[in-house]
Amino acid sequence: MGQQEPPGGYTGAETTGFVSPAGDSLEGPIDLEVALDLRRPNRYLVRVSGDALREHGILSEDILVTDAAIPPRVGAVAIVMLHGDVVVARLALKDGTWWLQSGRRGRHSVAVPEDAEIWGVATALVRDRM
Amino acid sequence: MPSTYGLIDGNSFYCSAERAFAPVLRGAAVVVLSNNDGCAIARTAEAKALGIKMGDPWHLIRERRELRDVRWFSSNYPLYGDMSRRVYQVLAERLPRVEPYSIDEMFLDLDVPGDLRRLCQELREVVRRIAKIPTCVGWGPTKTIAKLANGIAKDHPELDGLCDLTDPLVRAGWYERLGIGGVWGIGRRTEEKLAQLGIRSIADFLALDPRMARDLLTVVGGRVQEELRGVSCLPLQLMAAPRKGLAVTRSFGRPVLTWRDMREAVAAYAARAAEKLRAEGMEACHMQVFLHTNPHDGSTWYSAQRSARIEPTSDTLALIGEAMRLLPPLWRDGFAYAKAGIMLTDLVPARQQARMFQTRDPVRSAKTMAALDAVNERFGRGTLRPLATGITRSWGTRQQKLSQRYTTRIEEIMRATAL
């Protein structure tokens, strides 16, 4: 589907009296799908449950723009399929093995086992309520 | 024409799409059911191992004790369609040309430099990582050989999902062992016809005199023979052929007994058909409406259809109007209707200029329909719809076990627990 027609069909150009000086320069509203590159096959949206990553600025109900093509790296916030659960945590590397660092103080890190999958890496965050 | 064709195919595609977002399903027996949760249409290897067959009716098998751990799903086409789009995009970015043959199979132009085995393995890995779908790839000098190779890769896990039939000697070995029935383009009937002549393996079929093959199986048979010999007759099709017709037909979620439900259902199908027409920029000049009872459940069989030429249109209200003119004479009280449908043919490109003898205002119709489509695009199909298409829709599709639309609805995206 093409651009949505604004109410009344007026976009800033279709003036009735004076010709709009903006007529040749209209760009339309900002498209977040383009800005966040959501049409790429590697982009997925994932919603966060829980506030354990609050110290990293990630709150419960935030939406992570997740990229499945980016290789895991130290410090990245990753979505991981772990023992039948979907979890989100920061990645650390110890002795050639990936670890999930708990955001909560005093909680231990968890090694990412062989059968787990680092599903994607968060590249942006959308908070659809404040 | 490419010198090498590939076919990549998603393993239990629908089940794999479900698994992509639900790790609890990994390693579990998963089955996806057809429309109306009728029968099994996709099974993981674990489900196949439990003896679940393609087409097994769900209501007969769901109570079996040994199947109590099977995870059943209604078909979630918004999800499968989007995952198919991702698979296609991943491939199209890496290869000269890709033909989306079906929702879970793509033909590949593999006319590229370098080691093909390595390339195909990389394609499998990148599709698995990005589009989350495990696949098999087969390749060879023609599409028919590529499809055969893909089937071999699927049936022989020891091949690690890859099968190369480029070498005529390798092909000859498989041709001796494989039945002709497994070849693309050879249907059940043809297979039986050939079996009567003692032709069972692909090698038997290739030994057949080409002229006899053509006499026996028409030009299609001759083409299959050529393709199996390694002579390419079927080029890649990059775009679907323009539609000649468009159908919206559904089995009801439960039998329709009242005229009111039937009218609603057919109006809803007309509305959906109109949406599809507009999405393709077409108008229809001919409409057929049909309905029938269930031919399999022993109830009284009744079937009727009626068609008419219509003024070219893609307007929802106009098409509902035409359908409502065709439908009443088909209706008989006292039957339990199982299915109805609408078929539109004689499609022509839409135009907004007035035609001669036109009774509707095309500009006004186009504006109304654009507004309707915009609302439904934004807020979901069926948000805005004519009252004639019903509110409760008791006849609607039965989908008791739908998973989330993880990639197309913001309210249904996957959740991850912060650790």
Side-chain angles (χ1 to χ4, degrees), chain B residues 312-390:
Chain B
T313 188
S314 62
D315 184 292
T316 297
L317 299 176
L319 286 167
I320 291 177
E322 300 288 359
M324 291 306 109
R325 261 190 289 286
L326 288 169
L327 181 64
L330 306 181
W331 175 262
R332 297 280 181 279
D333 283 330
F335 289 111
Y337 293 95
K339 189 173 184 175
I342 282 196
M343 248 116 55
L344 299 174
T345 46
D346 282 358
L347 305 189
V348 295
R351 9 176 244 184
Q352 293 197 6
Q353 311 96 307
R355 291 185 172 87
M356 277 218 280
F357 311 118
Q358 184 149 323
T359 58
R360 282 183 292 267
D361 175 354
V363 176
R364 200 173 151 170
S365 159
K367 279 199 159 167
T368 314
M369 291 304 116
L372 181 72
D373 290 338
V375 168
N376 287 334
E377 164 94 356
R378 174 129 185 235
F379 299 105
R381 181 173 296 155
T383 302
L384 205 55
R385 62 181 197 237
L387 188 59
T389 64

Side-chain angles (χ1 to χ4, degrees), chain A residues 47-119:
Chain A
R47 203 178 282 276
V48 176
S49 290
D51 272 326
L53 293 170
R54 175 177 283 273
E55 281 190 15
H56 301 295
I58 300 171
L59 304 183
S60 192
E61 300 304 314
D62 282 352
I63 296 169
L64 297 176
V65 177
T66 302
D67 194 301
I70 297 175
R73 61 190 143 70
V74 173
V77 171
I79 310 295
V80 180
M81 302 296 180
L82 182 73
H83 307 309
D85 291 319
V86 187
V87 299
V88 50
R90 281 176 92 86
L91 289 177
L93 194 58
K94 262 187 268 178
D95 309 324
T97 308
W98 290 108
W99 289 71
L100 303 180
Q101 276 179 329
S102 176
R104 290 188 213 281
R105 238 171 259 152
R107 278 238 321 238
H108 293 293
S109 298
V110 187
V112 179
E114 282 273 307
D115 62 345
E117 178 196 3
I118 299 181
W119 196 86

Side-chain angles (χ1 to χ4, degrees), chain A residues 1 39-50 52 61 63 68-69 81 84 86-88 103 117 119, chain B residues 20-21 23-24 26 83 85-86 89-90 93 129-132 373 377-378 410 413-419:
Chain A
M1 168 121 321
R39 286 178 195 225
R40 306 263 324 129
N42 38 306
R43 291 289 167 113
Y44 296 89
L45 298 180
V46 179
R47 203 178 282 276
V48 176
S49 290
E61 300 304 314
I63 296 169
M81 302 296 180
V86 187
V87 299
V88 50
E117 178 196 3
W119 196 86
Chain B
F21 302 92
V24 68
R26 296 179 185 195
M83 298 310 277
R85 186 263 307 177
R86 290 172 193 265
Q89 261 180 289
V90 168
E93 282 169 10
R129 185 155 49 91
I130 293 179
K132 307 296 178 192
D373 290 338
E377 164 94 356
R378 174 129 185 235
I410 192 78
I413 58 177
M414 183 173 77
R415 278 187 172 271
T417 307
L419 211 60

